[in-house]
């Protein structure tokens, strides 16, 4: 597997990242069974054995269960933690968090970024996250407040490096101007079915600022296959993957 640097940093990873979005088998923690969890652990282990050394996760993937499943594999496989980079994302709060009436929303307040990161550390069972990304833009965010949270987490040894996800170029520039730590990654949707990042300046900015673009859903989530299957299926049978598009 080809090895690439993340940004201009000393962090090195396989050029393919293993995305842990689907490792719990569902978005809903109540639907996770020993069998779906075992399948997820097998998938992670298979990726590791195939040479993947970058594992991408997020606190919202199955409400933390995806991080717990990855954490379990890390404990079970001797030496794996030292050989891989752990990436995760924060900033999306589920409906009902923290109060039953709270809506789903984006929250880049400094206190929330710190507490979300600490919760991810607990679920992964590690002391340091290698790459923490902001999941989707919170348009009410203050870049200086985000930068303060990043510096706090970095200085406490809880996060080695930072990145963003789904950020347009002007937002990357605003955050980087406020942040003394380099943004190493912008994780964006790139596939044959989603080519906007090639034309809207996102990839040009990655070249300009030495930000590593990380493609999410690079195979478009199998959308072509699903369409073909839907045509081939008898009426009334639909895709039962249970995954939405907010990954
Ligand atoms: N930052 C974000 O906002 C965001 C959003 C979404 C995802 N992500 C990240 O990106 C990672 C990858 O996303 P993804 O899982 O959607 O990636 P993907 O590789 O585009 O899609 C994987 C899915 O597509 C199916 N598939 C793809 N190509 C296929 C083919 N040629 N034939 C049959 N099936 C095919 C796979 O089926 P099988 O399961 O049968 O193999 C699987 O269900 C996630 O795990 C997550 O880490 C980030």
């Amino acid at each position: 597997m080809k090895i690439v640097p993340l940004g201009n940093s000393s962090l090195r990873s396989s050029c393919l990242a293993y995305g842990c979005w689907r490792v719990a088998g569902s978005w809903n923690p109540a639907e996770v069974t020993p069998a779906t969890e075992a399948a997820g652990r097998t998938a992670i282990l298979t990726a590791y054995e195939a040479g993947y050394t970058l594992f991408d996760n997020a606190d919202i993937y199955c409400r933390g269960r995806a991080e717990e499943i990855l954490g379990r594999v890390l404990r079970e496989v001797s030496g794996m933690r030292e050989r891989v980079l752990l990436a995760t994302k924060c900033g999306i709060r589920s409906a009902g968090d923290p109060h039953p009436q709270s809506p789903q929303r984006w929250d880049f307040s400094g206190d929330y970024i710190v507490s979300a990161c600490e919760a991810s550390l607990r679920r992964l069972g590690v002391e340091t996250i290698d790459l923490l990304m902001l999941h989707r833009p919170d348009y009410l965010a203050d870049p200086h407040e985000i930068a303060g949270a990043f510096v706090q987490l970095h200085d406490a040894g809880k996060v080695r490096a930072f990145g963003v996800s789904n950020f347009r170029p002007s937002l990357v520039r605003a955050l980087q101007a406020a942040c003394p730590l380099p943004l190493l990654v912008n994780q964006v949707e790139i596939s044959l079915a989603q080519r906007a990042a090639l034309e809207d300046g996102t990839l040009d900015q990655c070249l300009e600022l030495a930000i590593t673009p990380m493609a999410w859903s690079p195979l478009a989530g199998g959308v072509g296959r699903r369409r073909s299957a839907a045509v081939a299926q008898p009426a009334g049978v639909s895709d039962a993957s249970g995954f939405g598009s907010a990954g």
Side-chain angles (χ1 to χ4, degrees):
M1 179 89 73
K2 186 177 170 190
I3 303 299
V4 296
L6 295 188
N8 273 338
S9 78
S10 60
L11 297 179
R12 299 274 182 282
S13 81
S14 54
C15 64
L16 295 179
Y18 187 77
C20 294
W21 182 19
R22 302 173 192 268
V23 296
S26 172
W27 270 110
N28 180 357
E31 292 175 359
V32 179
T33 65
T36 60
E37 181 175 335
R41 282 169 35 224
T42 300
I44 291 169
L45 191 54
T46 304
Y48 177 60
E49 290 173 350
Y52 285 72
T53 60
L54 175 55
F55 287 81
D56 177 62
N57 221 311
D59 55 359
I60 60 159
Y61 294 166
C62 197
R63 295 201 174 207
R65 290 304 300 276
E67 289 181 330
E68 289 172 358
I69 291 169
L70 176 58
R72 186 165 166 190
V73 178
L74 293 170
R75 283 192 296 282
E76 289 170 347
V77 181
S78 172
M80 180 174 172
R81 172 63 189 105
E82 293 71 39
R83 292 192 192 101
V84 300
L85 296 183
L86 299 178
T88 196
K89 303 185 280 298
C90 68
I92 300 178
R93 299 188 75 165
S94 304
D97 170 22
H99 307 297
Q101 68 276 20
S102 301
Q104 186 194 32
R105 64 209 183 281
W106 293 197
D107 187 347
F108 286 1
S109 61
D111 287 348
Y112 182 70
I113 290 171
V114 170
S115 68
C117 174
E118 289 172 343
S120 289
L121 286 167
R122 283 193 292 276
R123 286 188 291 266
L124 289 163
V126 299
E127 296 191 348
T128 306
I129 288 165
D130 298 299
L131 177 69
L132 181 69
M133 289 169 278
L134 300 173
H135 205 149
R136 285 176 184 270
D138 169 5
Y139 296 119
L140 302 178
D142 173 357
H144 292 92
E145 187 174 347
I146 296 170
F150 280 5
V151 169
Q152 183 183 333
L153 289 166
H154 182 264
D155 290 355
K158 294 176 179 173
V159 179
R160 291 173 77 186
F162 296 88
V164 294
S165 177
N166 303 302
F167 271 40
R168 64 181 185 275
S170 56
L171 209 44
V172 171
R173 195 168 288 284
L175 178 56
Q176 188 61 89
C179 186
L181 299 164
L183 300 171
L184 299 190
V185 167
N186 191 1
Q187 183 178 120
V188 289
E189 185 177 15
I190 305 176
S191 68
L192 290 178
Q194 179 50 267
R195 299 179 300 277
L198 281 72
E199 296 173 354
D200 67 6
T202 297
L203 296 185
D204 304 332
Q205 182 182 57
C206 287
L207 287 170
E208 179 191 353
L209 301 183
I211 292 172
T212 298
M214 191 187 294
W216 65 256
S217 291
L219 300 176
V223 67
R225 179 190 61 162
R226 292 216 176 85
R227 282 198 191 119
S228 321
V231 170
Q233 284 167 351
V237 177
S238 62
D239 173 21
S241 69
F243 287 96
S245 59

